[in-house]
Short mmCIF file of all heavy atoms in Angstrom, two decimals:
data_model
loop_
_atom_site.label_atom_id
_atom_site.label_comp_id
_atom_site.label_asym_id
_atom_site.label_seq_id
_atom_site.Cartn_x
_atom_site.Cartn_y
_atom_site.Cartn_z
N LEU A 113 0.83 -1.20 0.00
CA LEU A 113 0.00 0.00 0.00
C LEU A 113 0.86 1.25 0.00
O LEU A 113 1.91 1.31 0.65
CB LEU A 113 -0.92 0.01 1.21
CG LEU A 113 -2.02 -1.08 1.23
CD1 LEU A 113 -2.68 -1.14 2.60
CD2 LEU A 113 -3.06 -0.81 0.14
N THR A 114 0.39 2.27 -0.71
CA THR A 114 1.07 3.57 -0.76
C THR A 114 0.02 4.66 -0.62
O THR A 114 -1.17 4.38 -0.42
CB THR A 114 1.83 3.74 -2.10
OG1 THR A 114 0.87 3.88 -3.16
CG2 THR A 114 2.75 2.55 -2.37
N ASP A 115 0.46 5.89 -0.79
CA ASP A 115 -0.49 7.01 -0.73
C ASP A 115 -1.18 7.25 -2.05
O ASP A 115 -1.95 8.21 -2.20
CB ASP A 115 0.20 8.28 -0.24
CG ASP A 115 1.36 8.71 -1.12
OD1 ASP A 115 1.64 8.02 -2.13
OD2 ASP A 115 2.00 9.74 -0.81
N SER A 116 -0.95 6.39 -3.04
CA SER A 116 -1.65 6.44 -4.32
C SER A 116 -2.68 5.32 -4.38
O SER A 116 -2.42 4.20 -3.90
CB SER A 116 -0.66 6.28 -5.49
OG SER A 116 0.25 7.35 -5.51
N GLU A 117 -3.83 5.61 -4.96
CA GLU A 117 -4.88 4.60 -5.04
C GLU A 117 -4.46 3.44 -5.93
O GLU A 117 -3.91 3.63 -7.02
CB GLU A 117 -6.18 5.22 -5.58
CG GLU A 117 -6.86 6.14 -4.59
CD GLU A 117 -8.23 6.60 -5.08
OE1 GLU A 117 -8.41 6.67 -6.32
OE2 GLU A 117 -9.11 6.87 -4.24
N GLN A 118 -4.72 2.22 -5.45
CA GLN A 118 -4.48 1.01 -6.22
C GLN A 118 -5.77 0.21 -6.28
O GLN A 118 -6.47 0.06 -5.26
CB GLN A 118 -3.38 0.16 -5.58
CG GLN A 118 -2.04 0.84 -5.50
CD GLN A 118 -1.00 -0.06 -4.86
OE1 GLN A 118 -0.59 -1.07 -5.43
NE2 GLN A 118 -0.58 0.32 -3.67
N GLU A 119 -6.07 -0.32 -7.45
CA GLU A 119 -7.29 -1.11 -7.62
C GLU A 119 -7.11 -2.46 -6.92
O GLU A 119 -6.15 -3.18 -7.18
CB GLU A 119 -7.58 -1.32 -9.09
CG GLU A 119 -8.90 -2.01 -9.39
CD GLU A 119 -9.14 -2.17 -10.88
OE1 GLU A 119 -8.45 -1.52 -11.68
OE2 GLU A 119 -10.05 -2.96 -11.22
N VAL A 120 -8.02 -2.79 -6.03
CA VAL A 120 -7.91 -4.04 -5.27
C VAL A 120 -9.04 -5.02 -5.57
O VAL A 120 -8.88 -6.23 -5.40
CB VAL A 120 -7.82 -3.77 -3.76
CG1 VAL A 120 -6.51 -3.08 -3.42
CG2 VAL A 120 -9.01 -2.95 -3.25
N ILE A 121 -10.22 -4.52 -6.00
CA ILE A 121 -11.35 -5.39 -6.38
C ILE A 121 -11.95 -4.84 -7.66
O ILE A 121 -12.16 -3.63 -7.78
CB ILE A 121 -12.41 -5.46 -5.27
CG1 ILE A 121 -11.82 -6.03 -3.98
CG2 ILE A 121 -13.60 -6.34 -5.71
CD1 ILE A 121 -12.77 -6.04 -2.80
N HIS A 122 -12.22 -5.71 -8.62
CA HIS A 122 -12.78 -5.26 -9.89
C HIS A 122 -13.97 -6.14 -10.29
O HIS A 122 -14.33 -7.09 -9.60
CB HIS A 122 -11.71 -5.25 -10.98
CG HIS A 122 -11.18 -6.62 -11.33
ND1 HIS A 122 -10.53 -6.89 -12.50
CD2 HIS A 122 -11.20 -7.80 -10.64
CE1 HIS A 122 -10.16 -8.16 -12.55
NE2 HIS A 122 -10.56 -8.73 -11.43
N ASN A 123 -14.58 -5.78 -11.42
CA ASN A 123 -15.72 -6.53 -11.99
C ASN A 123 -16.91 -6.62 -11.04
O ASN A 123 -17.59 -7.65 -10.96
CB ASN A 123 -15.29 -7.94 -12.40
CG ASN A 123 -14.38 -7.93 -13.62
OD1 ASN A 123 -14.42 -7.00 -14.42
ND2 ASN A 123 -13.55 -8.95 -13.75
N ILE A 124 -17.18 -5.54 -10.33
CA ILE A 124 -18.35 -5.49 -9.45
C ILE A 124 -19.54 -5.00 -10.27
O ILE A 124 -19.51 -3.91 -10.84
CB ILE A 124 -18.13 -4.55 -8.26
CG1 ILE A 124 -16.90 -4.98 -7.45
CG2 ILE A 124 -19.36 -4.51 -7.37
CD1 ILE A 124 -16.48 -3.96 -6.41
N ARG A 125 -20.57 -5.79 -10.33
CA ARG A 125 -21.79 -5.37 -11.00
C ARG A 125 -22.88 -5.14 -9.94
O ARG A 125 -22.58 -4.76 -8.83
CB ARG A 125 -22.19 -6.41 -12.06
CG ARG A 125 -21.17 -6.50 -13.21
CD ARG A 125 -21.62 -7.48 -14.27
NE ARG A 125 -20.65 -7.59 -15.36
CZ ARG A 125 -20.62 -6.82 -16.42
NH1 ARG A 125 -21.50 -5.85 -16.57
NH2 ARG A 125 -19.71 -6.99 -17.37
N SER A 126 -24.13 -5.38 -10.29
CA SER A 126 -25.20 -5.18 -9.30
C SER A 126 -25.19 -6.35 -8.33
O SER A 126 -25.38 -7.50 -8.73
CB SER A 126 -26.55 -5.05 -10.00
OG SER A 126 -26.59 -3.88 -10.79
N CYS A 127 -24.97 -6.04 -7.06
CA CYS A 127 -24.81 -7.12 -6.07
C CYS A 127 -24.81 -6.54 -4.66
O CYS A 127 -24.82 -5.32 -4.46
CB CYS A 127 -23.48 -7.85 -6.31
SG CYS A 127 -22.04 -6.78 -6.03
N TYR A 128 -24.77 -7.44 -3.69
CA TYR A 128 -24.43 -7.07 -2.32
C TYR A 128 -23.73 -8.26 -1.68
O TYR A 128 -24.01 -9.42 -2.00
CB TYR A 128 -25.65 -6.64 -1.51
CG TYR A 128 -26.73 -7.69 -1.36
CD1 TYR A 128 -26.74 -8.55 -0.25
CD2 TYR A 128 -27.74 -7.83 -2.31
CE1 TYR A 128 -27.74 -9.51 -0.10
CE2 TYR A 128 -28.73 -8.78 -2.17
CZ TYR A 128 -28.72 -9.61 -1.06
OH TYR A 128 -29.70 -10.57 -0.93
N THR A 129 -22.77 -8.00 -0.81
CA THR A 129 -21.93 -9.06 -0.25
C THR A 129 -22.50 -9.69 1.01
O THR A 129 -22.05 -10.76 1.43
CB THR A 129 -20.54 -8.51 0.09
OG1 THR A 129 -20.70 -7.45 1.06
CG2 THR A 129 -19.83 -7.99 -1.13
N GLY A 130 -23.48 -9.05 1.61
CA GLY A 130 -23.84 -9.40 2.98
C GLY A 130 -23.12 -8.45 3.91
O GLY A 130 -22.07 -7.87 3.56
N ASN A 131 -23.67 -8.26 5.08
CA ASN A 131 -23.15 -7.26 6.01
C ASN A 131 -22.43 -7.92 7.18
O ASN A 131 -22.71 -9.06 7.54
CB ASN A 131 -24.32 -6.40 6.54
CG ASN A 131 -23.84 -5.18 7.30
OD1 ASN A 131 -22.77 -4.64 7.03
ND2 ASN A 131 -24.62 -4.73 8.27
N ASN A 132 -21.46 -7.18 7.75
CA ASN A 132 -20.72 -7.57 8.95
C ASN A 132 -19.58 -8.54 8.64
O ASN A 132 -19.41 -9.01 7.52
CB ASN A 132 -21.65 -8.16 10.01
CG ASN A 132 -22.66 -7.15 10.52
OD1 ASN A 132 -22.34 -5.97 10.70
ND2 ASN A 132 -23.90 -7.58 10.73
N ALA A 133 -18.80 -8.83 9.67
CA ALA A 133 -17.65 -9.73 9.55
C ALA A 133 -18.12 -11.10 9.08
O ALA A 133 -19.21 -11.56 9.42
CB ALA A 133 -16.94 -9.85 10.89
N GLY A 134 -17.28 -11.74 8.26
CA GLY A 134 -17.64 -13.04 7.71
C GLY A 134 -18.33 -12.95 6.37
O GLY A 134 -18.66 -13.97 5.77
N ASN A 135 -18.56 -11.73 5.88
CA ASN A 135 -19.18 -11.50 4.57
C ASN A 135 -18.25 -10.64 3.71
O ASN A 135 -17.48 -9.82 4.21
CB ASN A 135 -20.53 -10.81 4.72
CG ASN A 135 -21.55 -11.69 5.38
OD1 ASN A 135 -21.96 -12.71 4.83
ND2 ASN A 135 -21.98 -11.32 6.58
N GLY A 136 -18.36 -10.85 2.41
CA GLY A 136 -17.54 -10.06 1.50
C GLY A 136 -16.14 -10.65 1.36
O GLY A 136 -15.96 -11.86 1.22
#
């Protein structure tokens, strides 16, 4: 990690991961 943005997750369309720890 640096002070410049880096892409970490891609190809996200319409969705939801679920909420709270243990999801996503």
Side-chain angles (χ1 to χ4, degrees):
L113 293 169
T114 69
D115 59 0
S116 296
E117 288 188 331
Q118 298 180 69
E119 186 179 345
V120 292
I121 300 176
H122 65 160
N123 290 335
I124 302 170
R125 295 183 181 272
S126 294
C127 65
Y128 61 93
T129 60
N131 191 30
N132 296 321
N135 292 294

